[in-house]
Amino acid sequence: MAPSDRTPDALHADAPGRPQRADGRRNQARVLEEAFAAFAEHGAAVSIREIARRAGVSTGTVTRHYPTKEALFRAVALHRIEHLVRSAEEITAREDPATAFFTFFALLVRQSAADHAVGDALTGAGFDLQAAASTAIHDFGAAMAGLLSRAQRAGAVRGDADAADVKALIAGCIARPDDGTAQRRMIEIACDGLRPRPAS
Amino acid sequence: MAPSDRTPDALHADAPGRPQRADGRRNQARVLEEAFAAFAEHGAAVSIREIARRAGVSTGTVTRHYPTKEALFRAVALHRIEHLVRSAEEITAREDPATAFFTFFALLVRQSAADHAVGDALTGAGFDLQAAASTAIHDFGAAMAGLLSRAQRAGAVRGDADAADVKALIAGCIARPDDGTAQRRMIEIACDGLRPRPAS
DNA sequence: ACTTATCCGGCACGCGTGTGCCGTTTAGCT
DNA sequence: AGCTAAACGGCACACGCGTGCCGGATAAGT
């Protein structure tokens, strides 16, 4: 065979002493898949043992592929964040500055409610992803700042609001027990609050 | 002798088998006092050991007077809640329905930021005080509902908002990292969002 | 088929938590 | 002064967590 180059893949095992084994690759994918589901359901608070149980492997297997719990959570959360960044870019291109921001805001709230991993990543519950600099979260911050400042220049959002305010409002919307109509109303309330004050 | 019934004290002995000892009362007060400070600083997450250390007693002494951590936290939180209820009544009597609600809202946010025990009690972090029915939290709910509905009847707050929405907005304001001016702005944003939409 | 590095399961360790318990001390009444 | 129950300190237990580690299994290359 002599397969010249075996995709080293994975976050580790760059040394070409031996390629990654097939079952290892399968298990890693399975763990990641179940971690997605588990974190989405219960947030970053789920235990490694629970994820291992769901994936049908032992805890050792989980920590092998993701040496620490934070590494696993980041692998899951960054996927979602990257997806959000793409959505932000798409919305920015598609819609005018005024509605683009509010559309993205609503998207963030809905995603956070549906996927607790997103909510925990945004609010910093469990782990502080901001700390470990990553291109994904940097891009997200940039996208958010861009959306916000464009909306402000368009006069759709009060000028003194900053990204932290928006993040806090999202946290507030998430805090609302999840009822479809109630969530939509909370988004309305938050967005209305962000608009410039009528006159004064 | 012939101590007909020896109540091994249980919580504060009501049965007069023996009155509460003076040092016991002093220690209990000291524990409660330090628990106030500790919970205010770090929220419901502080450990029993930490509170015992601050009070200069052992953990056994803490759990004697407050058999469970939840009991201790409730003793602290309910004090604060009762104080908030009194403030609500005072504000209700002093101010017109429109501004009374917003004044109380701002008070809740400021209190929650200054005293993490209040914030944790309101958001249900740590313990669910709603579960264990208490007159204090019942009164608080009633006061909040009254303030809200009066403001709604006065046309100062959108009619479809409910108490859970307000609670979520408070949680959002708390989530904002504590900067004086930022907090004031967050309160503005939240209150503006609660106002009726300007027709259109 | 044989070898070997990879992978795995599962156990155990350390940490921190809340809580139960026991032997001792001490306050307060007679 | 003497007695007794209240109160104490402090240890140890059970729990759940993340993580390190080791001996056995096994896929992959020869």
Side-chain angles (χ1 to χ4, degrees):
Chain A
M1 299 341 157
S4 52
D5 70 69
R6 23 282 250 75
T7 63
D9 152 274
L11 24 135
H12 49 268
D14 347 354
R18 277 285 183 94
Q20 188 180 25
R21 251 165 61 173
D23 55 345
R25 186 160 191 54
R26 267 188 291 117
N27 271 335
Q28 179 171 352
R30 181 114 179 78
V31 165
L32 187 62
E33 188 179 332
E34 287 301 328
F36 261 97
F39 282 140
E41 279 182 47
H42 307 103
V46 277
S47 66
I48 292 286
R49 282 174 174 79
E50 171 67 13
I51 293 174
R53 196 189 58 77
R54 292 179 63 151
V57 299
S58 78
T59 63
T61 301
V62 175
T63 60
R64 156 177 313 274
H65 295 297
Y66 302 94
T68 180
K69 186 185 178 180
E70 177 165 3
L72 176 56
F73 182 74
R74 286 190 54 190
V76 170
L78 291 188
H79 264 218
R80 302 303 201 196
I81 299 293
E82 286 170 10
H83 187 76
L84 287 175
V85 170
R86 284 195 296 273
S87 297
E89 291 168 353
E90 189 217 334
I91 290 175
T92 304
R94 172 157 46 89
E95 253 151 341
D96 64 292
T99 65
F101 173 79
F102 294 116
T103 303
F104 188 58
F105 184 93
L107 176 71
L108 284 183
V109 173
R110 265 185 273 111
Q111 280 296 319
S112 298
D115 186 339
H116 286 85
V118 174
D120 286 359
L122 257 51
T123 62
F127 300 105
D128 187 18
L129 299 187
Q130 313 296 105
S134 147
T135 69
I137 73 112
H138 173 266
D139 290 351
F140 178 80
M144 174 60 107
L147 242 14
L148 174 60
S149 68
R150 284 185 60 207
Q152 286 174 319
R153 277 197 296 272
V157 170
R158 49 187 294 168
D160 57 351
D162 62 11
D165 296 333
V166 177
K167 216 174 68 176
L169 281 175
I170 291 173
C173 291
I174 298 173
R176 182 73 229 273
D178 191 2
D179 171 348
T181 75
Q183 180 178 288
R184 195 156 38 235
R185 183 173 63 243
M186 277 299 297
I187 293 174
E188 269 190 27
I189 291 173
C191 290
D192 285 354
L194 282 171
R195 293 200 170 84
R197 317 197 66 172
S200 89
Chain B
M1 309 64 211
S4 50
D5 64 316
R6 21 187 96 262
T7 60
D9 103 341
L11 203 37
H12 324 15
D14 351 354
R18 274 285 183 96
Q20 189 179 24
R21 251 165 61 173
D23 57 343
R25 191 164 27 246
R26 267 190 291 117
N27 270 334
Q28 179 171 353
R30 181 114 179 79
V31 165
L32 188 62
E33 188 179 332
E34 287 301 329
F36 262 96
F39 282 140
E41 278 181 49
H42 307 103
V46 277
S47 67
I48 292 286
R49 281 174 174 78
E50 171 67 12
I51 293 174
R53 196 188 58 77
R54 293 179 63 150
V57 299
S58 77
T59 63
T61 300
V62 175
T63 61
R64 156 178 315 273
H65 295 296
Y66 302 95
T68 180
K69 186 185 180 183
E70 178 165 1
L72 177 55
F73 182 74
R74 285 190 53 189
V76 170
L78 291 189
H79 265 219
R80 302 302 200 197
I81 299 294
E82 286 170 10
H83 186 76
L84 288 175
V85 170
R86 283 195 295 272
S87 297
E89 291 168 353
E90 189 216 334
I91 290 175
T92 304
R94 172 157 45 89
E95 253 151 342
D96 63 291
T99 65
F101 173 79
F102 294 116
T103 303
F104 188 57
F105 185 93
L107 176 71
L108 284 184
V109 173
R110 265 185 273 113
Q111 280 296 319
S112 297
D115 187 338
H116 286 84
V118 174
D120 286 359
L122 258 51
T123 61
F127 300 105
D128 186 18
L129 299 188
Q130 312 297 107
S134 146
T135 69
I137 73 112
H138 174 265
D139 290 351
F140 177 81
M144 174 60 107
L147 242 14
L148 173 60
S149 68
R150 284 184 60 207
Q152 285 173 319
R153 277 197 296 272
V157 170
R158 50 188 293 168
D160 57 351
D162 63 12
D165 296 332
V166 177
K167 217 175 66 176
L169 281 175
I170 291 172
C173 291
I174 298 173
R176 181 72 229 268
D178 192 2
D179 171 348
T181 76
Q183 180 177 288
R184 196 156 36 237
R185 183 174 62 245
M186 276 300 296
I187 293 174
E188 268 189 27
I189 291 173
C191 290
D192 285 355
L194 281 171
R195 293 201 171 84
R197 316 197 66 173
S200 87

